[in-house]
Amino acid sequence: MTHDELRAVLPPYAAGELEEEPAEVVRAHLATGCPDCLGALFRLPVGRPRSRWEAGLRRERRLAPATAVVLALALAALVGWTIRDLRQREAERRAESVRAAARLIEVEIARAEAVARSDAFGRTLEAVRAEVAEARAAARGAAGERARLEAELAAAEARSGSLLRSIRRRDAEIDRLLGGAPERTLADLAAMPGFGVARLEPRTSDGARGHLLWHPARAAALLYAFGLPAAGRSYRVELELDDGRVQAGPAFAAGSDGEAILPIRLPVVGARLRGVTVVQDPGARPVLGARLGVQPAG
């Protein structure tokens, strides 16, 4: 809005008739301390018709010196309210980010469990097929027995096909959730027994900081970094395991505000993770790092 456009909507703003979006614009302008608009607003009784206000505004401009103290107090109160509102919104955004990351970790865990079940079922299916083959060889002379065994195999394969389709549907749902914004979920992870948080310490003077959220029994973790130099920079994660190996993790780019929320699929469960380092490319310059108090794999 221009200054004149904003002055035109002050009457409905004072009367509580202005919609939320333009009202936010008016509040932001008043927070800058514009003396004309603040004087006009605080001389305007709530509910006064616009025509009377415009006539009264011309008359009350002559009284501006007498209202200086009131305007100063009103400005201080308005600025305080604006700061409190902004802080409350920031707190709500961070809480939502925590809840989103927890949901993301839960989905990754569900994916790993689904893959494990799929592998186990595949082995079971192979064993069933081997047993059926042996039964066919033993009952080769009995056509009726062979037909029965073949029917059982067909039923088993039908069941396996149904289960595999169910697993694929589950994988598709997991992929959909993993593709969403990580800001949706993180409170559920905090309730998980054994849940751990490792602080990522800065390795440079850039002021970057962060945390790693992990669980000893899970092969997934969540990295949250902030204060990263964001303009044109790319980063990647390096994972140090308890046997001394260093595994390459995912690459990522920080947002325009220097923040990044990154789900990590670990090559091992969290109990075997010894350290995490965030490096900046090119050059693999360490930016953040953490050491985890792990127990030897048993």
Side-chain angles (χ1 to χ4, degrees), residues 207-274:
R209 292 175 295 164
H211 296 85
L212 180 76
L213 292 82
W214 62 288
H215 191 280
R218 304 297 182 181
L222 181 77
L223 183 142
Y224 175 55
F226 51 96
L228 294 169
R233 308 290 177 86
S234 60
Y235 302 87
R236 58 185 171 85
V237 178
E238 292 183 348
L239 307 169
E240 181 182 354
L241 307 183
D242 59 352
D243 59 3
R245 290 181 298 147
V246 176
Q247 294 268 346
F252 66 97
S256 59
D257 55 357
E259 293 189 5
I261 300 177
L262 181 69
I264 303 174
R265 297 177 183 174
L266 303 177
V268 295
V269 295
R272 297 189 57 192
L273 189 63
R274 178 177 295 172

Side-chain angles (χ1 to χ4, degrees), residues 7-283:
R7 290 290 301 275
V9 299
L10 282 178
Y13 175 78
E17 300 171 352
L18 196 61
E19 294 182 357
E20 182 60 25
E21 184 175 352
E24 283 288 339
V25 176
V26 173
R27 283 194 289 269
H29 177 71
L30 293 176
T32 65
C34 176
D36 290 341
C37 292
L38 285 171
L41 178 65
F42 287 100
R43 289 194 300 272
L44 175 64
V46 175
R48 177 188 287 188
R50 185 179 302 181
S51 60
R52 291 182 58 193
W53 173 78
E54 292 172 347
L57 179 61
R58 292 190 294 270
R59 181 178 66 253
E60 291 167 357
R61 281 179 176 171
R62 296 191 298 270
L63 301 178
T67 60
V69 174
V70 174
L71 291 178
L73 294 175
L75 175 60
L78 181 61
V79 170
W81 174 86
T82 303
I83 292 174
R84 182 180 63 82
D85 184 60
L86 291 176
R87 286 178 176 173
Q88 182 178 359
R89 292 187 182 185
E90 177 65 15
E92 291 174 353
R93 186 187 69 79
R94 290 187 179 276
E96 183 63 22
S97 175
V98 169
R99 289 191 294 271
R103 179 57 181 160
L104 196 61
I105 290 291
E106 181 181 338
V107 168
E108 182 60 30
I109 292 171
R111 172 190 282 277
E113 292 175 348
V115 170
R117 287 197 300 271
S118 177
D119 292 343
F121 185 82
R123 291 191 295 270
T124 301
L125 180 59
E126 290 300 323
V128 169
R129 285 176 173 170
E131 291 176 0
V132 170
E134 292 177 1
R136 283 178 176 175
R140 189 169 294 148
E145 183 68 13
R146 182 170 56 186
R148 183 184 67 80
L149 293 174
E150 288 177 347
E152 290 180 357
L153 175 62
E157 290 179 340
R159 289 194 299 271
S160 73
S162 176
L163 180 57
L164 289 174
R165 286 192 296 272
S166 175
I167 292 174
R168 292 191 189 101
R169 287 194 298 270
R170 179 66 179 274
D171 284 346
E173 177 64 13
I174 291 173
D175 289 337
R176 184 185 69 79
L177 293 174
L178 287 174
E183 290 81 4
R184 288 186 311 177
T185 62
L186 212 246
D188 295 341
L189 185 59
M192 184 182 299
F195 165 77
V197 178
R199 182 175 180 179
L200 297 174
E201 300 292 347
R203 299 293 174 84
T204 67
S205 59
D206 294 331
R209 292 175 295 164
H211 296 85
L212 180 76
L213 292 82
W214 62 288
H215 191 280
R218 304 297 182 181
L222 181 77
L223 183 142
Y224 175 55
F226 51 96
L228 294 169
R233 308 290 177 86
S234 60
Y235 302 87
R236 58 185 171 85
V237 178
E238 292 183 348
L239 307 169
E240 181 182 354
L241 307 183
D242 59 352
D243 59 3
R245 290 181 298 147
V246 176
Q247 294 268 346
F252 66 97
S256 59
D257 55 357
E259 293 189 5
I261 300 177
L262 181 69
I264 303 174
R265 297 177 183 174
L266 303 177
V268 295
V269 295
R272 297 189 57 192
L273 189 63
R274 178 177 295 172
V276 175
T277 304
V278 176
V279 300
Q280 177 185 322
D281 285 327

